[in-house]
Amino acid sequence: MALKAGMWSGGAAHHLGGAAHLLGLQAIDNWRRVTPKVSMSDWRLERAKGRRSDLSDSRSRMKKDENSSFVMPTSSFLPSDFAEFKSCNPYTKPLSLTDLPVSGHGCNLRIAYQGCPGAFSEAAALKEYPHCEAVPCEHFDVAFKAVELWLVDKAILPIENSSYGSYHRNYDLLLQHRLHIVSEVQLQVDHCLMALPGVRKKELKRVLSHPQALGQCEIALNKLGVIKESFDDTAGAAQLIASKGLKDVGAIASAKAAEIYGLHILENQLQDVSVNITRFLILAREPVLPMTDRPFKTSIVFILEDGAGVLFKALTVFALRNIDILKIESRPHRKQPIRFVDDSYYGTAKYFHYLFYIDFEASLAEPRAQNALSNLQEFVSFLRVLGSYPIDTSL
């Protein structure tokens, strides 16, 4: 069967040449050649040499992408006293799209995450790379951009939780950006209820945290009878309470966040289910080379062709080759949300148009995985490999 032109993004079509071809140098070169790259500009070279280039000149060179700039934090020191933290670290505010890069840290591995110091994403990054420099970002898309602009080496983002489900927005970001999943991290998440020192639990009127954390602690919060308010991230909620001196407000965050911002823990392990695990994905500009020496997982996204039972047929290509499907997630197709009876924009609406994300247990170095994806193309109008990476079996 001939491959459909432009069907696989990120050079995944090269996997169909067989395992030997895949593992050859030419295959590696072909795969990486199609990966989008951003050349380091002069100001980054200056910074890597320890010199600070002229700011106005840097701004002129960055004029073409003014919304993709960042400030890199200059300290990894995390004192327990919040006032001391603010005085010694001028970049307590996470990176945003309007910041300009002003400093560097040599050749250390830099991992971008969404949130403030003390976030669970930071803990997951340090679990995978104990000696990395974790770089806080204001939003998830900022973390993606930081990798694309070579300001950091990799980004980490949560993708699903064992008790509260998927982080749907992050699935959309995987498709919007051209990064590759290179590994996964599973982290036991223990939520703590915290407040300013001297504040008692019964004095709390509101509790701030990320929507996922609020959902994971819903039963305990309902018993407490407080107003639940969503915040961008767990550690950011703790930081806000400490910086504003909010005496009747609590936060749900990590024990590390309480230590960093000088808050008192009122209750440990607040989550509704004691075994509460969040799975994180690590993304990079370049994919990892699929191997067969250990368990691998492959993540893909596709859009189905019209037809009766087409989803069943698409999933059958994996079952016929004894490939386990580990997860299926569907997301509305934002650019074409409704399918029509006559496949035009002038017919009668028929049903929603979906993107399907699938994780399956196989490496793209295996012929069975290559053949499954080749067969899958008979039933899809779009297919993209997001990554083939080792399975995390540790907790």
Side-chain angles (χ1 to χ4, degrees):
M1 182 193 71
L3 296 180
K4 299 179 182 178
M7 184 66 68
W8 288 19
S9 302
H14 294 288
H15 295 305
L16 297 184
H21 175 72
L22 174 70
L23 297 177
L25 293 176
Q26 185 62 44
I28 299 172
D29 181 64
N30 290 341
W31 194 6
R32 292 182 174 179
R33 187 168 58 241
V34 298
T35 305
K37 296 183 178 179
V38 182
S39 299
M40 288 189 69
S41 58
D42 293 339
W43 61 266
R44 290 196 197 94
L45 292 174
E46 291 289 315
R47 192 179 65 179
K49 295 175 183 177
R51 297 193 298 267
R52 193 183 291 262
S53 59
D54 182 69
L55 183 60
S56 61
D57 187 47
S58 298
R59 284 175 175 166
S60 65
R61 281 195 290 267
M62 292 294 290
K63 191 69 175 179
K64 61 181 180 180
D65 197 1
E66 291 178 343
N67 292 328
S68 302
S69 303
F70 307 85
V71 167
M72 309 306 291
T74 59
S75 174
S76 57
F77 175 62
L78 302 178
S80 58
D81 182 75
F82 181 70
E84 182 184 356
F85 175 72
K86 288 189 67 177
S87 64
C88 75
N89 189 343
Y91 301 114
T92 55
K93 176 180 175 293
L95 307 187
S96 69
L97 287 172
T98 58
D99 296 326
L100 283 172
V102 296
S103 64
H105 279 272
C107 299
N108 294 335
L109 181 67
R110 302 166 69 86
I111 310 294
Y113 68 94
Q114 188 271 336
C116 297
F120 290 107
S121 292
E122 180 190 39
L126 293 172
K127 178 189 175 184
E128 182 74 358
Y129 305 104
H131 303 294
C132 76
E133 179 186 355
V135 180
C137 298
E138 192 173 39
H139 302 293
F140 285 115
D141 55 348
V142 177
F144 277 85
K145 276 287 187 181
V147 180
E148 292 170 342
L149 292 176
W150 295 72
L151 301 176
V152 297
D153 302 289
K154 298 178 181 180
I156 187 168
L157 74 159
I159 198 67
E160 64 176 331
N161 175 264
S162 59
S163 63
Y164 203 66
S166 299
Y167 288 70
H168 296 114
R169 169 61 179 157
N170 290 347
Y171 276 97
D172 297 336
L173 290 173
L174 288 175
L175 190 60
Q176 292 171 15
H177 294 267
R178 306 291 297 181
L179 301 182
H180 303 269
I181 304 172
V182 295
S183 62
E184 66 175 2
V185 184
Q186 297 186 116
L187 182 72
Q188 169 67 33
V189 173
D190 290 323
H191 291 298
C192 300
L193 178 64
M194 59 193 67
L196 290 173
V199 175
R200 294 176 295 178
K201 187 189 302 185
K202 64 181 182 180
E203 297 174 337
L204 298 180
K205 297 180 180 178
R206 297 182 293 150
V207 170
L208 306 178
S209 196
H210 188 277
Q212 273 272 351
L214 295 175
Q216 293 165 30
C217 304
E218 185 174 8
I219 295 176
L221 292 177
N222 287 341
K223 290 180 179 179
L224 196 57
V226 295
I227 298 173
K228 294 170 281 189
E229 293 189 9
S230 297
F231 203 77
D232 288 341
D233 70 285
T234 55
Q239 184 190 57
L240 178 69
I241 291 174
S243 61
K244 300 292 186 181
L246 304 177
K247 295 184 178 180
D248 61 346
V249 182
I252 296 176
S254 67
K256 183 66 174 179
E259 176 188 347
I260 292 172
Y261 304 112
L263 299 184
H264 175 64
I265 295 178
L266 300 174
E267 185 173 344
N268 286 299
Q269 296 187 337
L270 193 68
Q271 63 267 17
D272 299 334
V273 181
S274 59
V275 181
N276 186 44
I277 301 168
T278 296
R279 186 167 72 96
F280 296 81
L281 298 178
I282 295 180
L283 302 107
R285 292 178 293 273
E286 301 282 352
V288 294
L289 183 65
M291 305 293 286
T292 58
D293 60 342
R294 58 188 182 275
F296 258 68
K297 179 185 294 185
T298 300
S299 298
I300 63 174
V301 56
F302 58 83
I303 299 173
L304 293 170
E305 296 275 14
D306 287 331
V310 67
L311 178 57
F312 170 78
K313 296 174 184 177
L315 299 181
T316 299
V317 308
F318 299 100
L320 291 175
R321 294 166 177 86
N322 198 30
I323 297 176
D324 288 339
I325 293 178
L326 304 175
K327 180 177 174 60
I328 302 176
E329 185 76 34
S330 63
R331 295 289 295 149
H333 191 332
R334 290 188 171 189
K335 294 184 178 179
Q336 188 182 342
I338 300 293
R339 281 190 173 182
F340 294 84
V341 173
D342 58 359
D343 289 330
S344 72
Y345 290 100
Y346 305 100
T348 303
K350 186 178 181 181
Y351 46 76
F352 268 33
H353 201 179
Y354 290 102
L355 292 155
F356 291 92
Y357 294 80
I358 286 183
D359 294 343
F360 61 87
E361 189 175 359
S363 167
L364 282 185
E366 300 178 64
R368 61 173 182 154
Q370 300 164 19
N371 294 333
L373 295 186
S374 179
N375 194 179
L376 181 61
Q377 287 192 101
E378 299 177 19
F379 312 110
V380 302
S381 59
F382 167 80
L383 172 62
R384 177 177 163 190
V385 175
L386 299 171
S388 189
Y389 48 95
I391 294 177
D392 182 17
T393 58
S394 64
L395 273 179

